[in-house]
Amino acid sequence: MTATLSRASWHNANQRHLSRALSQIRQALMRQGAETDGLDRDIGDDFTAVEDFDTADQSPLALDLLCRCFGLNAFERSILLLCAGMELEGQWSELCLAASGSAHPTFGLGLSLFANPTWESLTPSAALRRWQLIEVGGGNALTTSPLRIDERILHYLTGVQYIDQRLQTLMTPVYECGLLVPSHERLIDTIEQAWTQRQPASQTGPLPVVQLVGDDGTSLRTVATAACRRMGLGLQALPVEALPSDWQQLRMLQTLCEREYSLSGTAILLSYEGTVTGGKERQGAISNFIDTVNLPLMIATPDRQRQRQRPIISLEISRPTTAEQRQLWHMGLDADLAVPPDQVTALVSQFNLSPSNIQSVCLQGQAAADPGLLWTLCRQQARPRLDELAQRIEARATWDSLVLPEKEQQILQTLSSHVAQRACVYEDWGFGNQSGRGLGISALFSGASGTGKTTAAEVISRDLDLDLYRVDLSAIVSKYIGETEKNLRRIFDAAEGGGVILLFDEADSLFGKRSDVSDSKDRYANMEVSYLLQRMESYRGLAILTTNLKNSMDQAFLRRLRFVVQFPFPDAKQRAEIWRRVFPAATPTEGLVYERLAKLSIAGGNIRNIALNAAFIAADAGEPVKMKHLLQAAKQEYLKLERPLTDAEVKGWV
C-alpha cells in the first residue's frame, strides 16, 4: 500500500492509529457519562495529534485516507468513529447509554459530545449520508435515530480491502487475458493521454468516456485492463443489463461505484454483451449512468454507441495486422514443434485471428506435438460464433462429384486458386497495398434447382480445407429498417476471423433489380444492397451467392462480383455421367443401363434423390439396386415434381 512500509507493518500502524482515535471518542463518552467537572466539549487538540500520528513515516493510513477522499470535517470524522466503535469495542453500547440514554450512536449524541458540531453534516447531501458511510435507522426523529457504520467502510478502516458486496453481485473483476500487439498498445497510449492530460481550469467534470469498439471481447478487455494497470487502477466489468431502470436504485449503484473508486481506485468497464432489452426506460438509465457517473469509465461494445452529453472517445479495436499476426505465431510456437515458415504464412493468409485465439491454437498444437493440427484448430476457433448464425455444411463432395461443362469447371478451379493464393498476390506482390477495396473474393452461382450450386461450394470448401456455412438470405431479410444490415453485419463480423466460406442462398430475395427511388422503402432496399456489396468487397474470405433467377438481378450488382458461374441444366450425356457417379462404390448394383436412365429429363439433385430412394427400396427387398427399383423411385420423384413420367423416358427399363 506504500513504498516505505511493508503490508504487515502498515497494518500494525493502521491498527494503532485507529485505536488511538477510538480511545479519544471513548474518553469523551466517559466524561459525558460521568458528568464530572461539567462537559468538556473542546477536544480539538487531541484530534490534531491523531491527524499527525503517521507523519513519522509519512504513510497514509486508512482513517486519514477516508477523510481525505470524502472531505470529512472534524465533526463528521468523529461521528464516523463513534459508529465504528460500536462494531469494534464490546462496551461501547454501555458508554452510549450512559452518555445519552440510548444504547446506540445517534446524531443527537454527536451534537452534544463533539466540538464544533455542524447541522449541515446531518443532511443527505453531506458526506456521511451522500457516500453511504453511515446508515440512519428508523426512529421518531433524525437526531434520535440509531446510526450504524457501513460494513464496507468499517472493514476499510481496519485495513481490509474488498469490493462492496452489493457490487460483487453485479460486477466481475477484469484481468488481462490476451496478448498485446503494437497497434493495441498505441490505443492504450491514447487512453492514458486522454485521462491524464491536464485540463484547463475552466474545464471541470468527469473524465471523458473511452468507448472501445470491436467484435473480439477478449481484445477489448485486454486493452481496457492494460490501460487501467498503467494508470494504477483496478477494473470491474459491469454489464449494461445489470443497470436498474428504477431511478433511486440507479443512483444508489452510481454512488457505490463512485465510492469504490475513491476507496480502491476501481474503474468501470460497461459492457454491451448482447441486445439491450427494456425499451426507452432501460436506454435512458444507461445514458444517465454514462453521463453522470464520476469515475474512469470505459465502454466495451461491438457497435459504436451514439454520442451523449459526456465527452466520448471512440477507439476501434481491430484485429492484429498481418505482420502482427505473423509475429504472434512465431512467438507462440515452440521451436521444437518445427512449423515451416510457409505454413505460418498460409495460416495468416486464411485466418484473421485475435491474439487470444492465436495463443490458444499454439498451446493446443504444442500439447498435441502435431504441426498439421494447427489448421484444424484455427477452423474451430470461429465455429462457436458462426454456428449460432448460420448452418455449417460438412463438405464431402470432391471434384469428381461435379459434372459440368469444361468452361464452368475451369472457372470453379480458378476461383479456388484465387482464395488459395490470396496472400501471395495481395501481400507478397503488393496488390493489397494499392487499395483496401475490392480485395474480397465473391462469386455468383446461378442455375435451376438441383444443378449443383451447393455441391460446387462443398467442392471448393473441401479443396481449400475451409469451413462452409450456409446462410438463408430469405430468413435474414427484415421488413424493419436497419434490421437486415444488422443481421448481415453479425454474420460477416463472426466470419471475419475464421477464413470461412459463406454461401448465401436465395440471393434474388434481396438482390433483385434495384428500383428507382420513389419512396422510403426503395431507398432502404437499395441501402441493404449497398451494404452487402461493401461487406463482400472487404471480406477476407470467400462469399458465394446462389440464385435460380440470374436474369432478375441488377447488372450493376453483377459487375461487382469477381466470378459468375452459370450451372446449366445437364444434357443427356451429362446426365448419364451423373448416374455413373451417383452410387457409392460400396452400393451393390445389378443391370443398370445409364444411357436409359439419362433419358429422364431431370437435374442432378433429382437424380440423387431417385438413387437414394431406390437404394432404400432395394435394401428393404434384400436385393442389389436394379432398374426396377429405380423405376419405382422415379415415379415417386415425378409425383413430387408434379410431372408425368412418360413411356419414352422409361422405355426398356424393365
Side-chain angles (χ1 to χ4, degrees), residues 220-419:
L220 267 61
R221 290 190 295 271
T222 299
V223 170
T225 309
C228 289
R229 176 173 48 82
R230 184 181 293 185
M231 290 175 283
L233 299 173
L235 186 63
Q236 294 278 333
L238 176 64
V240 292
E241 294 83 3
L243 294 179
S245 300
D246 181 77
W247 184 86
Q248 290 185 341
Q249 294 180 10
L250 185 67
R251 281 285 176 258
M252 172 64 75
L253 175 62
Q254 179 176 331
T255 297
L256 294 178
C257 290
E258 292 174 351
R259 192 181 76 174
E260 199 59 49
Y261 167 63
S262 298
L263 295 175
S264 59
T266 299
I268 299 297
L269 179 66
L270 193 64
S271 59
Y272 286 76
E273 298 179 353
T275 303
V276 179
T277 59
K280 293 183 178 180
E281 188 176 3
R282 171 55 58 84
Q283 291 289 355
I286 296 173
S287 300
N288 184 275
F289 183 83
I290 293 175
D291 286 338
T292 59
V293 67
N294 190 11
L295 51 73
L297 177 65
M298 294 185 181
I299 301 175
T301 173
D303 304 311
R304 187 185 297 266
Q305 304 298 314
R306 66 179 180 84
Q307 182 78 15
R308 296 176 173 83
Q309 297 178 8
R310 186 174 177 180
I312 294 182
I313 300 173
S314 293
L315 302 176
E316 296 282 346
I317 310 297
S318 304
R319 293 181 185 271
T321 64
T322 300
E324 290 172 341
Q325 290 185 44
R326 187 177 286 109
Q327 183 65 25
L328 288 171
W329 280 109
H330 289 303
M331 291 171 53
L333 293 173
D334 196 319
D336 297 336
L337 197 58
V339 179
D342 59 342
Q343 184 177 353
V344 173
T345 300
L347 293 173
V348 173
S349 73
Q350 293 295 340
F351 302 100
N352 186 23
L353 300 181
S354 66
S356 60
N357 292 146
I358 295 176
Q359 186 180 29
S360 177
V361 170
C362 290
L363 291 174
Q364 293 180 69
Q366 289 171 176
D370 182 7
L373 189 62
L374 296 177
W375 187 277
T376 301
L377 293 172
C378 288
R379 290 175 59 179
Q380 294 173 351
Q381 285 295 325
R383 287 179 180 173
R385 292 186 61 200
L386 268 173
D387 283 342
E388 300 174 358
L389 305 172
Q391 175 191 3
R392 179 157 54 94
I393 299 176
E394 193 69 34
R396 299 177 180 176
T398 64
W399 289 108
D400 291 336
S401 305
L402 283 177
V403 179
L404 290 172
E406 184 178 352
K407 181 181 68 174
E408 280 71 23
Q409 285 268 12
Q410 184 61 42
I411 294 176
L412 292 176
Q413 291 177 353
T414 302
L415 169 59
S416 181
S417 67
H418 274 226
V419 179

Side-chain angles (χ1 to χ4, degrees), residues 33 104 283 353 387 407 456 462 518 548 560 576 620 624:
H104 301 279
Q283 291 289 355
L353 300 181
D387 283 342
K407 181 181 68 174
R462 181 166 179 174
S518 59
N548 300 335
R560 297 177 68 173
D620 187 58

Side-chain angles (χ1 to χ4, degrees), residues 304-587:
R304 187 185 297 266
Q305 304 298 314
R306 66 179 180 84
Q307 182 78 15
R308 296 176 173 83
Q309 297 178 8
R310 186 174 177 180
I312 294 182
I313 300 173
S314 293
L315 302 176
E316 296 282 346
I317 310 297
S318 304
R319 293 181 185 271
T321 64
T322 300
E324 290 172 341
Q325 290 185 44
R326 187 177 286 109
Q327 183 65 25
L328 288 171
W329 280 109
H330 289 303
M331 291 171 53
L333 293 173
D334 196 319
D336 297 336
L337 197 58
V339 179
D342 59 342
Q343 184 177 353
V344 173
T345 300
L347 293 173
V348 173
S349 73
Q350 293 295 340
F351 302 100
N352 186 23
L353 300 181
S354 66
S356 60
N357 292 146
I358 295 176
Q359 186 180 29
S360 177
V361 170
C362 290
L363 291 174
Q364 293 180 69
Q366 289 171 176
D370 182 7
L373 189 62
L374 296 177
W375 187 277
T376 301
L377 293 172
C378 288
R379 290 175 59 179
Q380 294 173 351
Q381 285 295 325
R383 287 179 180 173
R385 292 186 61 200
L386 268 173
D387 283 342
E388 300 174 358
L389 305 172
Q391 175 191 3
R392 179 157 54 94
I393 299 176
E394 193 69 34
R396 299 177 180 176
T398 64
W399 289 108
D400 291 336
S401 305
L402 283 177
V403 179
L404 290 172
E406 184 178 352
K407 181 181 68 174
E408 280 71 23
Q409 285 268 12
Q410 184 61 42
I411 294 176
L412 292 176
Q413 291 177 353
T414 302
L415 169 59
S416 181
S417 67
H418 274 226
V419 179
Q421 301 300 327
R422 180 180 52 206
C424 175
V425 174
Y426 288 165
E427 298 173 20
D428 299 341
W429 292 5
F431 275 82
N433 297 328
Q434 293 183 345
S435 174
R437 297 184 298 105
L439 301 183
I441 301 176
S442 56
L444 175 71
F445 292 174
S446 64
S449 178
T451 52
K453 301 185 294 296
T454 303
T455 301
E458 288 188 42
V459 170
I460 296 174
S461 171
R462 181 166 179 174
D463 185 49
L464 296 171
D465 197 15
L466 295 173
D467 285 332
L468 174 64
Y469 280 85
R470 177 185 175 275
V471 182
D472 187 356
L473 275 176
S474 62
I476 68 172
V477 173
S478 175
K479 65 180 180 180
Y480 297 104
I481 295 174
E483 285 299 313
T484 300
E485 293 95 324
K486 184 182 297 183
N487 294 334
L488 288 170
R489 180 171 64 249
R490 291 179 61 208
I491 292 171
F492 275 106
D493 287 347
E496 281 291 350
V500 303
I501 298 174
L502 293 176
L503 177 66
F504 291 93
D505 259 354
E506 305 291 342
D508 40 278
S509 65
L510 178 61
F511 312 112
K513 290 184 178 180
R514 289 180 285 182
S515 60
D516 294 333
V517 176
S518 59
D519 56 28
S520 60
K521 292 183 179 179
D522 293 335
R523 183 172 71 254
Y524 284 112
N526 290 346
M527 289 173 59
E528 292 170 353
V529 173
S530 299
Y531 180 80
L532 177 82
L533 291 173
Q534 175 249 321
R535 289 307 302 257
M536 290 179 65
E537 289 178 343
S538 61
Y539 178 52
R540 283 176 53 109
L542 169 62
I544 302 174
L545 310 174
T546 70
T547 179
N548 300 335
L549 304 170
K550 175 187 173 184
N551 293 333
S552 69
M553 301 189 71
D554 184 8
Q555 290 298 316
F557 172 72
L558 293 177
R559 284 194 296 269
R560 297 177 68 173
L561 298 171
R562 187 176 299 191
F563 296 94
V564 177
V565 185
Q566 179 68 42
F567 287 74
F569 192 87
D571 56 23
K573 182 180 179 180
Q574 292 169 341
R575 293 198 297 269
E577 187 61 29
I578 295 173
W579 277 111
R580 290 188 180 92
R581 302 183 187 185
V582 74
F583 292 103
T587 303

Side-chain angles (χ1 to χ4, degrees), residues 14-15 18 62-63 66 80 84 149 153-159:
N14 187 72
Q15 289 297 105
L18 181 59
L63 177 60
L66 188 73
L80 188 68
I149 188 171
I153 302 302
L154 174 67
H155 295 311
Y156 179 86
L157 289 176
T158 63

